[in-house]
Amino acid sequence: MKTVLITGANRGLGLEVAHQLGAKGFHVLAGIRNAEAGRRAEALLRGAGIRADYVPLDMAAPDMIAAAADMIAGMAGGLDVLINNAAVHYDTHQRVGAPDFAIVEEALAINTVGAWRMTVAALPHLLRSEAPRIVNVSSESGAWSSMTGTTPAYSLSKIGLNALTRMMASEFRGDGILVNAVCPGWTATDMGGGGRPVPEGARGIVWAATLPDDGPTGGFFRDGKPIDW
Amino acid sequence: MQVPHSRFRHPFDALNSAGAEKRHQLVICCVHGHEVSRAVCGFLRDEGIDCRYLVGGFEAWREADLPVEPIDGH
Ligand SMILES: NC(=O)c1ccc[n+]([C@@H]2O[C@H](COP(=O)([O-])OP(=O)(O)OC[C@H]3O[C@@H](n4cnc5c(N)ncnc54)[C@H](OP(=O)(O)O)[C@@H]3O)[C@@H](O)[C@H]2O)c1
């Protein structure tokens, strides 16, 4: 049975990705920072017949990230797929000329450095997998080619995540780990506040998590199709 | 079978269509009335929906000899 760790799996895209991958037979490890939300997500996934375990995980807490990687190895015996999904601060109220730097720093800590730390912690386990995959859930807001002065904290955090995707893909290519950035498109979660149905947004993430061995690495995709960096 | 006039939803469909339910008061009923209905209810409350769950679920409803109907009137 393949295993997947999804950060921020208690609602929105993370929970739906857990649902879709669980339905494909994955053992889902749901990284969630709030204990009640964690138990709830676990109950729902199990209710849907999915093998799921809640893993306490706050992406702002480096110790918890390290502990979570070891916990999943113990619970599931290994890890095949990491989905860096958790994110905060889609700061539509801010402009680059007048940001609240506390928000900028938190966005970078969770969305970018958190995903980086999680990847490093998961790496020894991924290296033992036969088909390791990393999906960095990013956004077109982090595309260099269409960068504007809006959502500055979020955009900076996602272009950073895109850069990490390139670095990781290059570094881990020889180990067979496929690393890609995926934009789910505008999706009707709390963060999206509107947009397409959550299952549709989740599909492109699931696609990147289940790529065949000769699939792409170091790419930026939406709905399984390349988009501009 | 289900509680009369209720609507059958897969738990994940219930979450994903939460936006459409904002103006309604909901009672969530699952089979046993602990984990799934409680979890769905917790999610929907977080979305600002006025929501309760049926303690004991459909099993308790049936044991109490309350009326039932085929799922979604089919
Ligand atoms: N929705 C869109 O339109 C859209 C578009 C482009 C990209 N994206 C990306 O898609 C991903 C998922 O977003 P979403 O729309 O599903 O957002 P969401 O509904 O706001 O969910 C965000 C998730 O991240 C979790 N999270 C935040 N900070 C965390 C932390 N410190 N530790 C652990 N978990 C944390 C949240 O947990 P809590 O419940 O504890 O807060 C929640 O589960 C994000 O990377 C987002 O940037 C979304």
Side-chain angles (χ1 to χ4, degrees), chain A residues 184-206:
Chain A
W186 185 41
T187 306
T189 62
D190 280 354
M191 181 184 280
R196 59 179 175 167
V198 180
E200 275 178 37
R203 234 165 264 150
I205 301 171
V206 168

Side-chain angles (χ1 to χ4, degrees), chain A residues 8 10-11 13 33 58-59 85 87 137-138 154 158 187 189:
Chain A
N10 54 301
R11 58 189 171 92
L13 286 157
R33 62 174 158 178
D58 183 343
M59 297 307 290
N85 166 77
V137 182
S138 186
Y154 185 76
K158 292 299 192 185
T187 306
T189 62

Side-chain angles (χ1 to χ4, degrees), chain A residues 156-174:
Chain A
L156 184 62
S157 75
K158 292 299 192 185
I159 199 170
L161 187 62
N162 285 353
L164 280 168
T165 303
R166 299 288 292 186
M167 291 185 230
M168 290 169 179
S170 159
E171 189 80 359
F172 308 150
R173 189 185 291 269

Side-chain angles (χ1 to χ4, degrees), chain A residues 10 16 19 40 44-45 190, chain B residues 11-12 15-16 42-43 46-47:
Chain A
N10 54 301
E16 178 57 24
H19 176 213
R40 226 192 245 168
L44 260 180
L45 291 163
D190 280 354
Chain B
F12 280 90
L15 303 189
N16 291 330
F43 278 105
D46 283 355
E47 297 294 318

